[in-house]
Structure formats: C-alpha cells, structure tokens
Amino acid sequence: MALTYIEDSSALTGRQARVEDYLALLKPRVMSLVVFTAFVGLVLAPGNLNPVLAVIAVFCVAVAAGASGALNMWFDADIDAIMSRTANRPIPRGRVSREEALAFGLFLAVASVALMGLATNWAAAALLAFTIFFYVVIYTMWLKRSTPQNIVIGGAAGAFPPMVGWAAVTGTVSLESVIMFAIIFLWTPPHFWALALYKQGDYGAAGVPMMPNVVGESSTRNQIMAYSVILAVIAMAPLATGFAGPIYGIVAGGTGLAFVWYALRLRQASDGAEMRRRARALFRYSLSYLFVVFMALLVDRVATQMLGGML
C-alpha cells in the first residue's frame, strides 16, 4: 500500500515541489553535525589551507551530506511512508517524486566530489566519494534492511567527515583523524539504539531489523552499556596521544562519565514507559555529547595556541 502511495503521490496531492522540499531532502539537521565534525578535522589538521578553499571544502562536505540524504530518501521512500517520524518527508507526502530525488542526489554527489578535488586535493575528494558510496550503497541499500548490525557497520559513513576535513588540508589520513573517526563510530550504536528502543514499533512495522526488534530490549540495553563504556575510554585517546590537552581531557572525561550514567540508568530501567523515557533521555544527551566533545577539541587547540603565543 505504501509503495502504491509513493509511486503515484504527485497525482494524489497535485502539489509542486518547493525549495523547502528540496532542502528537506538534504536532511539539514543531520548535515549540521556532519559539517561541524568535518570543520573540526580541517581546523585541527597540521598545515595551512587558504581560507577561501577551506570554506569551499566544508561546503563540499555539506553538499555531499545532502546528496547522501537525498539518495537515502529516494531508496527508503517505501519505509519512510510507514514510519511516523519519517512519514512527512517530501517523497511520502508527494511533494517530490522519487525520480526527482534521485536526480537531485546524484547531481549533488558528483558536483561535491569534483569541486572538492579541484579546490583541495583528490585524496580528500576520493574519501568524500567513498563516504557517499558507503552511506548510500553499503548502509542504505544493503545493511539497513538485512542485519541488526546495520548501525554498527553503517555508522562508519557518519564517522568519515573529520577524516575528509583533515585530508583536505594534508592530503593524507593520520592517527589523529582516525581517533576522531573512532569517537563518532563508537558513538553511533548507542545513539541510534536508544532511538530504536522507543521507536521500535515504527521499525517493526517497516521491517527494518533494528537491534531491539531482533534480539530484544534487554540485550540491546546491555550492548548500549558496553558501547558507552568503550566510547568513554576511546574519547580520552586525544589526551593520551598528545593530540589534545587538559581542557579537552576534563570535558571528554566528564561527558563520557555522563554518557555511561545515562546508559546505566537505561540498563537498570524497568520495562515499558520508564525504559522508553530513559532511552529518549540518552538519545537526546547523545546529540549534545558529540557536539561538546568536538567543540572541546577546538577550544583546547585555541587555548594551547594562545598560551604558546604568550610564552
């Protein structure tokens, strides 16, 4: 029924696509975090990049993230129409056709990669292209509907942006950029599994094998706990390797302990409404956690440079 609705949605609504509808295809809320982490990678990378080219590089990451979002919505239009949190997206509502979303996404993908290569270097462009490919093909088309490990493996797509930003300056991948990748990669499972715990009805109706729907709530909460502890430890790697200083260490340590606390509360919650409330609380905290950790990397670097200039 959902497929029939989507394929002929324009006939049902009679509406023309607006600028806002194409902007919605870009998943702007997801894009903002992707752009920010890429910016952090670019700023922290050793070497200098012309400010104009730096802005272009960040813009390319934003466009690539938008392309990935549009292509994701093109492929997932059938399940988006079923799930409550996605039912108002442009394709299910009939404001944009699947063909238009596909063409829009492909154009943005090619344009972003080409511009990145011309403005910075082709190593960064290749990494950006692989990021789009990984999210659209590996995660969206393959893993999302086939395994409860979809988020674990597919989370790599969202972890690449700081590596892209780093490569835009240096043309290489280094330990520092791999650490930033690892923080986002380990953050992704508890973040999305917390969402899946209080939205599992949606995922079940859509046939998406998210962890709670496959192995149950108890096992999912245990895995969230394990990933949260590992994340809190790995988030201290910038301090341990000398990539960041004490300011970052204090922030990362405190926020990591808070992440573990939220996960522990969720693990200990009774089933039902209490569990869903605590899952929602962890999900919301996880959004701010990643921003704060990466902001701490920036602040620590600026403070270190200012202190060095005074000595």
Side-chain angles (χ1 to χ4, degrees):
M1 187 65 161
L3 280 171
T4 303
Y5 172 78
I6 292 167
E7 295 296 345
D8 196 32
S9 56
S10 59
L12 290 174
T13 62
R15 295 186 60 180
Q16 295 294 319
R18 301 170 300 173
V19 172
E20 302 95 301
D21 298 322
Y22 283 101
L23 289 176
L25 286 176
L26 305 180
K27 294 188 176 181
R29 286 189 296 179
V30 175
M31 180 197 294
S32 62
L33 196 55
V34 167
V35 170
F36 178 65
T37 58
F39 172 75
V40 172
L42 186 147
V43 171
L44 298 184
N48 297 307
L49 186 63
N50 180 282
V52 174
L53 297 182
V55 170
I56 293 174
V58 174
F59 173 74
C60 288
V61 173
V63 173
S68 299
L71 293 172
N72 171 268
M73 289 194 198
W74 157 71
F75 190 81
D76 278 351
D78 56 338
I79 61 176
D80 281 353
I82 298 171
M83 299 173 63
S84 61
R85 73 183 187 89
T86 58
N88 286 321
R89 286 176 173 176
I91 300 176
R93 297 304 297 169
R95 297 192 294 267
V96 177
S97 72
R98 295 184 78 170
E99 292 76 15
E100 289 170 335
L102 175 60
F104 184 55
L106 289 175
F107 171 77
L108 293 181
V110 173
S112 63
V113 172
L115 183 57
M116 177 68 86
L118 294 171
T120 61
N121 58 76
W122 291 105
L127 191 54
L128 186 63
F130 182 71
T131 302
I132 299 171
F133 172 82
F134 198 98
Y135 183 75
V136 176
V137 178
I138 303 298
Y139 169 67
T140 301
M141 295 184 178
W142 176 30
L143 296 172
K144 185 173 183 178
R145 306 189 192 207
S146 62
T147 172
Q149 295 295 324
N150 47 19
I151 287 300
V152 178
I153 305 170
F160 281 122
M163 296 181 74
V164 175
W166 188 279
V169 178
T170 66
T172 62
V173 172
S174 68
L175 175 62
E176 293 87 350
S177 64
V178 170
I179 289 173
M180 289 187 283
F181 171 94
I183 292 172
I184 302 174
F185 182 77
L186 292 167
W187 165 86
T188 303
H191 168 72
F192 279 103
W193 286 340
L195 172 65
L197 278 170
Y198 71 86
K199 288 288 187 179
Q200 58 184 296
D202 273 2
Y203 287 110
V208 179
M210 291 297 285
M211 192 64 72
N213 302 80
V214 176
V215 304
E217 295 176 358
S218 179
S219 178
T220 301
R221 287 189 275 174
N222 287 337
Q223 293 189 59
I224 287 175
M225 186 74 231
Y227 270 95
S228 299
V229 171
I230 297 171
L231 170 63
V233 173
I234 295 300
M236 299 304 293
L239 179 64
T241 59
F243 176 42
I247 294 176
Y248 171 81
I250 293 170
V251 174
T255 54
L257 288 174
F259 204 114
V260 171
W261 180 76
Y262 273 101
L264 182 61
R265 290 183 72 247
L266 174 59
R267 184 172 181 269
Q268 295 175 337
S270 57
D271 295 337
E274 182 185 10
M275 185 278 296
R276 288 191 291 274
R277 281 197 303 271
R278 293 188 180 184
R280 186 187 294 268
L282 173 57
F283 175 76
R284 289 177 174 173
Y285 173 74
S286 67
L287 288 171
S288 60
Y289 168 84
L290 197 63
F291 173 80
V292 170
V293 166
F294 273 78
M295 179 61 76
L297 283 171
L298 279 180
V299 172
D300 185 273
R301 176 61 59 87
V302 171
T304 300
Q305 290 177 342
M306 290 179 61
L307 182 60
M310 294 172 58
L311 297 177

